[in-house]
Amino acid sequence: QVQLVESGGGLVQTGESLRLSCAASGRTFSGIAMGWFRQAPGKEREFVAAISRSASALNTYYAEYADSVKGRFTISMDNGKNTMYLQMNNLKPEDTAVYLCAAVWGGSTRYPPLKSNEYNYWGRGTQVTVSS
């Protein structure tokens, strides 16, 4: 049974940084694509970043970012630890939300999914609060 567990959220001030982690268990990282989404109170879930690993060049990863986080957030994957990360720098109050990680196996390894309905597995989320 696949489980995704997020950690690393917290309360920070504007301009500070956080690193979120998503630990996956129950299946290997072979053929996986993973993503981060966020949901603020009263708002729809929105895409933040996604990553997939090349099937032919195992040290090659493909990442996609929402425009609102480009240049500030970096997504990465550690296959040895079955863990995905989201390094968030220069945080802003509008980044405040519950951050959820998601995973899917068997899809494109070149283009990680950007839509929430393309993912099969979800974590429960970790709260990120940025004060002004």
Side-chain angles (χ1 to χ4, degrees):
Q1 182 177 357
V2 173
Q3 285 192 322
L4 304 176
V5 179
E6 302 95 334
S7 61
L11 171 63
V12 297
Q13 295 186 337
T14 298
E16 294 187 338
S17 300
L18 281 174
R19 189 176 81 155
L20 305 184
S21 299
C22 174
S25 61
R27 196 165 173 177
T28 68
F29 265 25
S30 176
I32 196 174
M34 300 186 77
W36 286 100
F37 291 77
R38 65 188 182 188
Q39 189 161 17
K43 294 188 176 181
E44 293 188 354
R45 186 172 297 182
E46 67 170 349
F47 168 75
V48 176
I51 188 168
S52 60
R53 182 185 181 196
S54 171
S56 57
L58 298 182
N59 292 325
T60 299
Y61 298 85
Y62 302 102
E64 297 285 348
Y65 296 93
D67 289 342
S68 59
V69 306
K70 279 181 182 176
R72 299 188 299 124
F73 291 11
T74 302
I75 190 170
S76 62
M77 186 184 285
D78 185 331
N79 296 294
K81 296 182 179 180
N82 274 19
T83 301
M84 174 181 66
Y85 302 97
L86 185 68
Q87 177 67 41
M88 306 187 296
N89 298 330
N90 190 22
L91 282 161
K92 305 176 181 180
E94 51 264 43
D95 294 318
T96 296
V98 174
Y99 283 70
L100 305 107
C101 73
V104 62
W105 277 263
S108 170
T109 55
R110 173 60 183 89
Y111 300 102
L114 309 184
K115 298 180 180 179
S116 60
N117 61 8
E118 296 179 278
Y119 288 89
N120 301 123
Y121 301 95
W122 291 85
R124 299 183 69 175
T126 184
Q127 176 70 46
V128 172
T129 304
V130 185
S131 64
S132 57

